[in-house]
Amino acid sequence: MPYHRSPDSPLPPRSPAPERVLWTLTKGTDAESAQRQESDEFGVELQLLRNGELLYARRHESDTLAVEEAAASRRELEADGWMEATWPAP
């Protein structure tokens, strides 16, 4: 007999999918980054964050499509004066 979860029982904890930062750009005191988050069930999600806050997320069928969209976003930001992040060496 199959198991059915009671509507009152909590969902099991979800383990976060691995993330990969594709790039980080800065302009003034702001930082914007693109990262991809993989999910076996739903493909790959591209996330754009500014100062750590989610600006945009979109799911893609493949890593290649997510990386292509991230590259297009990067080109737009660079055309607007954003530059590759350089962090001070410790």
Side-chain angles (χ1 to χ4, degrees):
M1 179 188 288
Y3 170 77
H4 294 282
R5 184 181 64 82
S6 162
D8 298 331
S9 65
L11 292 172
R14 195 176 133 190
S15 59
E19 297 174 357
R20 184 178 83 192
V21 176
L22 301 173
W23 49 258
T24 300
L25 302 176
T26 59
K27 184 176 181 181
T29 59
D30 291 323
E32 187 158 324
S33 61
Q35 66 183 30
R36 54 125 73 193
Q37 191 160 4
E38 196 167 328
S39 170
D40 291 337
E41 285 183 58
F42 303 109
V44 177
E45 183 177 81
L46 171 65
Q47 298 176 346
L48 298 180
L49 298 97
R50 182 163 298 164
N51 301 325
E53 296 290 325
L54 182 65
L55 289 176
Y56 171 84
R58 182 173 180 190
R59 215 174 283 154
H60 293 276
E61 292 180 10
S62 72
D63 188 58
T64 302
L65 294 173
V67 170
E68 286 174 0
E69 183 178 356
S73 294
R74 180 182 179 139
R75 286 190 297 274
E76 289 176 16
L77 290 168
E78 288 175 330
D80 193 35
W82 290 75
M83 299 170 46
E84 181 74 32
T86 55
W87 309 111

